[in-house]
Each structure stands twice: as structure tokens, then as C-alpha cells.
């Protein structure tokens, strides 16, 4: 039961949202899919006095191709990301991540932009965005700006968003011909938060190898493993990837799901797996 | 603050004035007395409150009542084709002992309905992934899966029954 009283707004246009945020940004909470906000409000952990629903706003959903990029509307539901043919073709790691978010009901309601703006370190999209190098389009009544993913995620549940700003769209670079990518996660059971997650990217001809690890720090830990895989994803190269990533994850988060050393070790294991899979998908 | 909600619930146009704090599950149960929608955790974990909102399953503890204005909702009460009858999925759960205490059953059955609409012949693994958002604390998953397999076979044989 939500005890805190709040004013509820259900705007239908982006400009209306921006106007509300300009007037009330400091005490308003944006409600997208509600998969994090609603449980925390039910538990009394979040007590906003004003809730602005984005569920009826036109023009915030959908996925389209734009030159070398995909543009994904912030209110696109996880289930749409997971079954979109453009995503499957041009950002397959993002499709893998979307298909692993929560459970079917969560994927039907939860949104791509909501997950990014919430910035839970265990969220599936964060490491994928970190390796793909996407950027986020942010609007307010003051104007529009585009922020690279690596600057958008600041710390646990903290982003570059100002109180009067709305995340409207995410720009995801399409993989080039011959690039390979992959996403894997370690979780206790389906639907539970990732203990460690990993995204890997291997550019055509093994020109670049990148790993990003989620769930170990306030933002994804990105490790350049280009030199490790220069001669191919051999067992020795993959072992080197593991140890490079383990070194980068010193001091990993600890909680009931695993202590710091366990997370660090698993980061190495999952880094190896995503680089192996990404290398197999690249040419 | 109060707000007016108009929604189609189980095929009927309904209207209510609700507190903005009310979650969809509470509106269904307390305003419209559709108590087949159960509330287990109110944190989006257990899936007992699953309903079908505009054709897809959602957890109604994690949706504000005020936010479904103009939308279409199907609850377990609206699933049978006629009053007093059971839907073929419900019959399959009865036939196969697909429920023990029954608390999770409305959510399980609505998840099954959408799963079978999207995939009429799911493998056992696809069934288990399809109900991953519904917890059975009796741990009666084995016979739930059997029930879903039976329901799928029935609906494939008589597509109009569902």
C-alpha cells in the first residue's frame, strides 16, 4: 500500500512532460514501466509527492534505423527490444540483454529508457551500452543534449540527468560488417538480478576487443582486451582476458549473492565467455 | 488526490474514481470485487497479481490504477467463455493437478494464455521460461508444466475453444 499522497499526471505530449518537469522537477518522479519505482513506492522506500506517467506520451516508443545508428525510444518495452528485427541484426548483444531482463511480465511493462535512467548496476543494458558506445538523447524545456553512455552512468542509481530533464531516445551504433558481440549474465534464478553480467565486442578481424562488466561497481567496468585477442580467441588468449578483467574488478561489490572475490572471479569467467562468443560471431 | 479511471475490464466498460495511490490490483479487488487477482508480494516478484493489460501480461501490483485509463484488462474472472464454465486452460489445470493451494493459479493461468497465444506448441523449456514470472510456493511446478502441455494440446486440437 502506498501511504505517501501524490499528484498524478498523465501527459500525452513530450512538451507537456517537459513543462511539468520545469515546474516540479525537484519533487516529481517520472513513471515509465514502473518495474523499479512501483515496488519501491509500495514498500515506502520511494515517496514522491508528484508522479508523472510517461505511459500515455506519444512519440517516445519505437525503434528505427538512422544511418549508422539505431534509435530506440525511451519508452520502448523490453519485449519490443527483444523481438525487434533491427536490434537482432544490428545490435545482437542488446537483443540478448533485453530477452534476459526480469521475466515475461517485467519485459512486457518495463522500458528500455526506464532501466537506463534508473541505472541499477546490475541492469542488463548497462554493460551492453558500455561496449557498443551508444549515447542518450536528453531533453528539457532548456533544450536538447546528447550524452555518451560512459558519461551518462555516474554511480549506483545516479545518472547525468538533471531534475528537469527527460531521457527521450537512445542512439545505439550498428555493428559493422564482421563485428561480433555477446551478452551473458550470472544470476541465481531467472528473474533475479544479475550477480555479474558481461558484454563483449570483437571488431572485424579482431581489430578491437572490449569487455564491460556489470554488477561489480557503480558503473560498468570496461576493459580493452584488444592486445589479448590479437592472435585469436585461443585458450591462452581467453585466459589472459579473464585475468585482465579480474584485475580490473578488484574491490567488486559484495552482498548476500556473493562476496567481492567471488564477483571478481565470476567477472573473469563471464568476460572469457562473452569474448569467446563475440569472437565466434565476428569475422 | 483522486482521479477518474475508465477501463474495459473483462469486456465491460467500467469506471471508478480512485485515489492516485491505488495500485491496479487493489482497484480490481476492492473496487470491482474481482478477487481472483491475488496479491502475494506487492514488489513485482511473485506474479500472483498477473493480469492481461492490452493483450500482454503485467503484474498489477506494479501498475497504478490511474495509469490504465482507456485500456483493456482481462482478469481470471473474464477468462471463461461463459459464466459458470471453465476455460480449457483451467480445465487442464484441474485435470492434471496443476494447483495445490491455488494462490498462484490465476496468475499462472493468465501467463499460460498469453504464452500459448504466442507459441501454441511450446517445449518444456519454453513453458518454464514462459511462467518464470510466476512463483508457486507449493513448488508444484512439475504438474503446472504438465497442465500447460495438456492445455496446449487441447487448444491446438480445438483452436476455437480458447
Amino acid at each position: 500500500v502506498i501511504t505517501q499522497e501524490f499528484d498524478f499526471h498523465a501527459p500525452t505530449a513530450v512538451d507537456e512532460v517537459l513543462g511539468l518537469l520545469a515546474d516540479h522537477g525537484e519533487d516529481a518522479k517520472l513513471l515509465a514501466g514502473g518495474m523499479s519505482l512501483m515496488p519501491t513506492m509500495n514498500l515506502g522506500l520511494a515517496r514522491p509527492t508528484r508522479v508523472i506517467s510517461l505511459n500515455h506520451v506519444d512519440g517516445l516508443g519505437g525503434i528505427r534505423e538512422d544511418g549508422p545508428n539505431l534509435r530506440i525510444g525511451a519508452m520502448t518495452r523490453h519485449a519490443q527490444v527483444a523481438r525487434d528485427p533491427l536490434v537482432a541484426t544490428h545490435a545482437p548483444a542488446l537483443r540478448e540483454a533485453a530477452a534476459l531482463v526480469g521475466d515475461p511480465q517485467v519485459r512486457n511493462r518495463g522500458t528500455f529508457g526506464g532501466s537506463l535512467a534508473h541505472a541499477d548496476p546490475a541492469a542488463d543494458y548497462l554493460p551492453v551500452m558500455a561496449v557498443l558506445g551508444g549515447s542518450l538523447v536528453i531533453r528539457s524545456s532548456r533544450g536538447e543534449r546528447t550524452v555518451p553512455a560512459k558519461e551518462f552512468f555516474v554511480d549506483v542509481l545516479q545518472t547525468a540527468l538533471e531534475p528537469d530533464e527527460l531521457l527521450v531516445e537512445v542512439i545505439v551504433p550498428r555493428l559493422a560488417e564482421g563485428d561480433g558481440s555477446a551478452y551473458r549474465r550470472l544470476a541465481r534464478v531467472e528473474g533475479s538480478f544479475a550477480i555479474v553480467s558481461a558484454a563483449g565486442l570483437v571488431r572485424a578481424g579482431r581489430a578491437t576487443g572490449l569487455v564491460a562488466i556489470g554488477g561489480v561497481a557503480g558503473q560498468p567496468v570496461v576493459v580493452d582486451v584488444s592486445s589479448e585477442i590479437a592472435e585469436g580467441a585461443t585458450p591462452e588468449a581467453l585466459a589472459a582476458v579473464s585475468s585482465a578483467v579480474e584485475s580490473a574488478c578488484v574491490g567488486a561489490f559484495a552482498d548476500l549473492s556473493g562476496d567481492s572475490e567471488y564477483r571478481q572471479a565470476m567477472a573473469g569467467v563471464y568476460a572469457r565467455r562473452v569474448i569467446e562468443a563475440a569472437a565466434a560471431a565476428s569475422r | 488526490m483522486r482521479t477518474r479511471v475508465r477501463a474495459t475490464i473483462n469486456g465491460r466498460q467500467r469506471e471508478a474514481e480512485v485515489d492516485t495511490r491505488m495500485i491496479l490490483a487493489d482497484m480490481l479487488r476492492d473496487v470491482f470485487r474481482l478477487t481472483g487477482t491475488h496479491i502475494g508480494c506487492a514488489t513485482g516478484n511473485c506474479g500472483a497479481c498477473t493480469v492481461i493489460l492490452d493483450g500482454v501480461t503485467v503484474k498489477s501490483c506494479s501498475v497504478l490504477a490511474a495509469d490504465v485509463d482507456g485500456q483493456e484488462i482481462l482478469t481470471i474472472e473474464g477468462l471463461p467463455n461463459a459464466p459458470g464454465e471453465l476455460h480449457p486452460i483451467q480445465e487442464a489445470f484441474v485435470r492434471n493437478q496443476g494447483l495445490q493451494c491455488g494462490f498462484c493459479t490465476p496468475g499462472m493461468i493468465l501467463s499460460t494464455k498469453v504464452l500459448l497465444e504466442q507459441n501454441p506448441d511450446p517445449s518444456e523449456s519454453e513453458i518454464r521460461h514462459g511462467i518464470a514470472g510466476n512463483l508457486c510456493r507449493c513448488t508444484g511446478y512439475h504438474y503446472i508444466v504438465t497442465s500447460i502441455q495438456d492445455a496446449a494440446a487441447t487448444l491446438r486440437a480445438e483452436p476455437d475453444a480458447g
Side-chain angles (χ1 to χ4, degrees):
Chain A
V1 174
I2 301 170
T3 53
Q4 173 70 53
E5 292 204 42
F6 58 83
D7 289 339
F8 178 78
H9 302 271
T12 54
V14 170
D15 283 344
E16 239 183 295
V17 179
L18 302 183
L20 285 163
L21 285 174
D23 292 341
H24 309 289
E26 292 288 349
D27 57 12
K29 199 77 189 154
L30 292 171
L31 172 64
M35 296 297 96
S36 299
L37 180 59
M38 287 298 299
T40 49
M41 285 174 70
N42 282 334
L43 292 168
L45 298 172
R47 301 170 62 83
T49 53
R50 195 177 295 275
V51 172
I52 304 170
S53 169
L54 301 175
N55 286 291
H56 307 277
V57 180
D58 277 332
L60 284 181
I63 299 168
R64 63 196 168 88
E65 234 172 331
D66 179 23
N69 300 313
L70 295 181
R71 284 177 173 266
I72 304 179
M75 283 297 288
T76 308
R77 314 276 171 181
H78 305 303
Q80 290 170 263
V81 178
R83 66 163 178 263
D84 187 87
L86 287 173
V87 174
T89 306
H90 301 299
L94 197 57
R95 190 205 66 76
E96 291 179 285
L100 288 169
V101 174
D103 54 50
Q105 292 95 315
V106 169
R107 293 192 290 274
N108 287 336
R109 186 72 179 169
T111 67
F112 185 56
S115 174
L116 295 173
H118 186 55
D120 189 307
D124 294 287
Y125 295 129
L126 271 57
V128 178
M129 291 298 294
V131 292
L132 296 182
S135 53
L136 298 94
V137 181
I138 293 168
R139 217 177 282 169
S140 72
S141 56
R142 296 173 286 131
E144 185 177 288
R145 61 187 182 118
T146 301
V147 178
K150 64 175 183 293
E151 289 165 31
F152 181 80
F153 301 109
V154 176
D155 207 338
V156 178
L157 308 184
Q158 286 176 40
T159 67
L161 284 167
E162 299 292 337
D164 67 339
E165 288 184 319
L166 172 71
L167 172 62
V168 290
E169 193 174 53
V170 182
I171 300 173
V172 180
R174 289 165 45 184
L175 288 188
E177 190 70 31
D179 290 353
S181 67
Y183 175 75
R184 300 282 187 276
R185 75 203 300 253
L186 169 67
R188 198 175 53 82
V189 293
E190 186 167 340
S192 51
F193 277 103
I195 298 167
V196 161
S197 59
L201 173 68
V202 174
R203 294 284 185 207
R206 299 190 304 276
T208 310
L210 272 184
V211 181
I213 304 293
V216 295
Q219 45 183 291
V221 173
V222 180
V223 183
D224 188 329
V225 294
S226 306
S227 60
E228 280 81 355
I229 61 161
E231 304 300 317
T234 59
E236 294 75 20
L238 293 171
V241 166
S242 276
S243 75
V245 167
E246 278 188 42
S247 305
C249 293
V250 171
F253 285 157
D255 62 18
L256 288 175
S257 302
D259 62 21
S260 187
E261 291 73 22
Y262 175 70
R263 273 204 170 75
Q264 208 188 332
M266 291 304 105
V269 170
Y270 279 77
R272 185 172 71 216
R273 290 182 186 174
V274 290
I275 288 296
E276 187 171 22
S282 72
R283 286 186 299 279
Chain B
M1 183 188 170
R2 296 185 77 79
T3 184
R4 186 150 289 277
V5 179
R6 294 171 199 81
T8 306
I9 302 174
N10 298 335
R12 263 179 75 191
Q13 189 62 40
R14 307 295 292 261
E15 191 170 333
E17 197 175 286
V18 301
D19 193 297
T20 55
R21 292 173 290 181
M22 188 172 258
I23 56 174
L24 174 57
D26 280 335
M27 180 175 82
L28 294 170
R29 291 177 55 83
D30 299 344
V31 178
F32 297 116
R33 307 305 297 165
L34 295 166
T35 53
T37 300
H38 296 166
I39 301 175
C41 67
T43 56
N45 283 290
C46 78
C49 66
T50 298
V51 300
I52 298 177
L53 177 64
D54 282 355
V56 299
T57 51
V58 299
K59 294 176 183 175
S60 62
C61 73
S62 296
V63 176
L64 284 176
D67 217 4
V68 301
D69 190 46
Q71 291 187 274
E72 201 166 316
I73 297 154
L74 183 76
T75 71
I76 191 71
E77 289 89 347
L79 188 60
N81 294 320
E85 285 184 13
L86 290 181
H87 184 274
I89 299 172
Q90 291 172 305
E91 287 175 345
F93 271 66
V94 171
R95 255 196 319 275
N96 294 280
Q97 197 78 45
L99 59 152
Q100 292 179 38
C101 83
F103 195 82
C104 72
T105 311
M108 285 286 181
I109 285 175
L110 292 173
S111 283
T112 301
K113 176 179 160 58
V114 172
L115 168 68
L116 297 183
E117 282 167 2
Q118 293 172 352
N119 182 0
D121 191 9
S123 66
E124 182 184 331
S125 165
E126 288 166 339
I127 289 173
R128 288 182 182 270
H129 286 292
I131 57 168
N134 297 82
L135 303 184
C136 169
R137 288 225 51 191
C138 307
T139 69
Y141 294 107
H142 181 78
Y143 290 116
I144 290 171
V145 171
T146 311
S147 302
I148 296 171
Q149 288 168 327
D150 186 14
T154 305
L155 290 173
R156 285 198 305 275
E158 314 166 48
D160 295 333

